[in-house]
Every structure is written in C-alpha cells, then in structure tokens.
Amino acid sequence: MAQNFRHSEILAMARESGKVTVEGLAAKFNVTAQTIRRDLAELCDIGQLTRVHGGATIPSGVIALGYEDRRSLASDAKEMMARMVAEQIPDGVSIFMNIGTTTEAVARALLKHRNLMVVTNNLNVANILATSPNCEVIVTGGMLRRSDGALVGEVTAEFIGQFKVDYAIIGSAAVDPDGSLLDYDFREVRVAQAIIKNARKSYLVADNSKFRMAAPVRIASLAELNGFFTDIAPPRTITQLCADNDVFVRTVEHSSQLY
C-alpha cells in the first residue's frame, strides 16, 4: 500500500516539475535511495517514467502526454508566462494561436484586452475567448483531433494562409538543444509552419520542461521567431542562439530581457 502511494505521489511530482531525483524523493518519503530506485525502475518498466541520470522524467519521444496531464504540468509557470505574453500584446491587433495548454493560458490572460481578432485551430482557445465581447474569434477548418480539440491538416494550413496577422503565439512539444521546435503530429506541424509564415511577429511560449523533451517532427528554428517566453533561464546554447538572431527572451524567473 505504501509503495502504491509513493508511485502515485512520484508521478504527480514528475508531471508538475518534469523530473524527479532519487535524492529528493528519498528525503521526501524518508526511505533509502535503493527503495526509490526500485520505485523508479517499476514506473519506467510500465512506461510511466523515463530513467535519466540521478532520477527520472516524464516520457517523451514519439508519444505525447495525455492532454489533461499536459494541462496540469507546470500549470503555475504557464499562468505566469501567459501574463508576460499578454503584457507584450497591445489592444487592437490580430493574433494566431495554435494548439496547446500554454496557449490556453495565454488566451485566459488576454480576456481583458480590447478589439482583438484571434484566428485559432484550438477549440479550447476559441471557447475561452468566446466569453469576451471584445474579441472576434475565427476558428479554422480542418480535421478535429478529439484528444485535445485541435483542428489539423492541409485544410487548416490553407485556411491560415488567407490571413496576415500581427502576432503569432505558439507552443511546441519540445525544444531541441540546437533550437529546433519539435512536435509529434506532422499535421499539426504543417499548421504551425503556416502560422509562423503568415504572422508579422511570432512568439514561442514554453516552460523549461520542453528542454528535456524529444519529439520527431520539426516545426522551425527558434532563430526564425521574434521572441521566446519561458519560466527559467534557457540552456546556454538556446540563449546564445537567440542573442545571435535578435530573438528576445523573457523569463518568469527574471521578468526581464536576458541580454
């Protein structure tokens, strides 16, 4: 029974922060490191976690986390990042917003803005912004991905191509050390690429867990965007890439430009 309780708690902690450590878990549960290693091994054997040096992370690779799991992951950080993004967006502009729990948080942060036009392939974002009388919401066509309310595919990308908007606010499943933005579904990637192409300014919003993720399909390079909002300072390679390509970085940690 105690072991089952630990497993549930370990998974909850991993989903919140992206990673758990043997040392930290041993101290929390007042058990030996060997006991925690056994717990992690069992959770990894059934695919709930992935082992890394010193601990474990939530799984990544070719399979995305469930949408509700992603919604709860780093939720406080997402809300704070969303407020930073909203402060950057003026009233009276047009915006693309793609699929993701982080873009949902940005939608909530934009509810007090006035005279916005938002084009989105995210039914959750559309429902959030529909509550605001000051926002015109345009929902793309496309194939519905029931798992997360996304509209995806060539029809969606072609619809996006009819617009030229002021800002794009996008999320991604992972950020590679070389600055590549990655996702799991090539149909969603095609839409994200169209969004970036047809926006005057593009912003990535992603918490630090995305630096530890992997996904197989490339959207674009961070160097192609205008800004990056995250919770803590990115890895040095990412910071340097942004500096070299005039991409501003803002973090919740410092709440200011890094360079």
Side-chain angles (χ1 to χ4, degrees), residues 57-111:
T57 65
I58 54 177
S60 62
V62 297
I63 301 174
L65 282 175
Y67 204 67
E68 290 304 317
D69 288 336
R70 280 186 278 157
R71 181 174 278 127
S72 64
L73 181 64
S75 57
D76 290 342
K78 289 175 183 177
E79 295 299 328
M80 290 186 284
M81 290 187 298
R83 289 195 291 271
M84 287 197 306
V85 176
E87 291 171 359
Q88 190 74 22
I89 303 296
D91 291 335
V93 297
S94 53
I95 308 170
F96 283 137
M97 299 182 72
N98 77 339
I99 194 66
T101 57
T102 306
T103 49
E104 288 178 30
V106 176
R108 289 189 291 271
L110 289 171
L111 284 173

Side-chain angles (χ1 to χ4, degrees), residues 117-138:
M117 184 183 82
V118 174
V119 183
T120 184
N121 68 319
N122 184 336
L123 294 184
N124 299 309
V125 162
N127 286 329
I128 291 167
L129 292 173
T131 64
S132 171
N134 297 308
C135 182
E136 179 183 1
V137 181
I138 299 173

Side-chain angles (χ1 to χ4, degrees), residues 42-50 59:
E42 291 171 359
L43 289 168
C44 291
D45 285 345
I46 61 174
Q48 295 293 309
L49 294 175
T50 298

Side-chain angles (χ1 to χ4, degrees), residues 2-219:
Q3 184 182 37
N4 290 337
F5 169 77
R6 282 200 310 273
H7 285 188
S8 297
E9 286 289 296
I10 289 168
L11 286 174
M13 293 169 66
R15 287 167 179 161
E16 179 64 27
S17 62
K19 179 181 179 181
V20 289
T21 66
V22 172
E23 182 180 352
L25 292 173
K28 175 178 174 60
F29 295 111
N30 194 27
V31 297
T32 65
Q34 182 178 1
T35 296
I36 294 298
R37 291 190 185 96
R38 186 163 56 245
D39 287 340
L40 296 182
E42 291 171 359
L43 289 168
C44 291
D45 285 345
I46 61 174
Q48 295 293 309
L49 294 175
T50 298
R51 283 304 300 267
V52 296
H53 180 69
T57 65
I58 54 177
S60 62
V62 297
I63 301 174
L65 282 175
Y67 204 67
E68 290 304 317
D69 288 336
R70 280 186 278 157
R71 181 174 278 127
S72 64
L73 181 64
S75 57
D76 290 342
K78 289 175 183 177
E79 295 299 328
M80 290 186 284
M81 290 187 298
R83 289 195 291 271
M84 287 197 306
V85 176
E87 291 171 359
Q88 190 74 22
I89 303 296
D91 291 335
V93 297
S94 53
I95 308 170
F96 283 137
M97 299 182 72
N98 77 339
I99 194 66
T101 57
T102 306
T103 49
E104 288 178 30
V106 176
R108 289 189 291 271
L110 289 171
L111 284 173
K112 293 183 180 180
H113 278 55
R114 300 182 65 84
N115 301 320
L116 297 182
M117 184 183 82
V118 174
V119 183
T120 184
N121 68 319
N122 184 336
L123 294 184
N124 299 309
V125 162
N127 286 329
I128 291 167
L129 292 173
T131 64
S132 171
N134 297 308
C135 182
E136 179 183 1
V137 181
I138 299 173
V139 181
T140 70
M143 180 182 298
L144 174 63
R145 194 168 63 195
R146 290 181 175 85
S147 63
D148 57 5
L151 294 163
V152 298
E154 288 300 319
V155 169
T156 313
E158 290 173 7
F159 187 94
I160 292 293
Q162 299 178 70
F163 296 86
K164 188 70 175 182
V165 306
D166 299 309
Y167 296 92
I169 300 169
I170 66 169
S172 69
V175 181
D176 195 76
D178 72 358
S180 294
L181 313 184
L182 306 171
D183 215 315
Y184 299 96
D185 187 339
F186 71 90
R187 299 169 302 173
E188 167 59 17
V189 165
R190 178 74 179 86
V191 175
Q193 289 169 339
I195 284 173
I196 293 169
K197 179 181 178 181
N198 291 285
R200 295 181 178 90
K201 292 183 179 180
S202 297
Y203 297 152
L204 173 70
V205 191
D207 66 82
N208 75 89
S209 69
K210 302 303 174 67
F211 302 132
R212 300 187 296 274
M213 300 290 204
V217 192
R218 185 180 185 275
I219 301 170

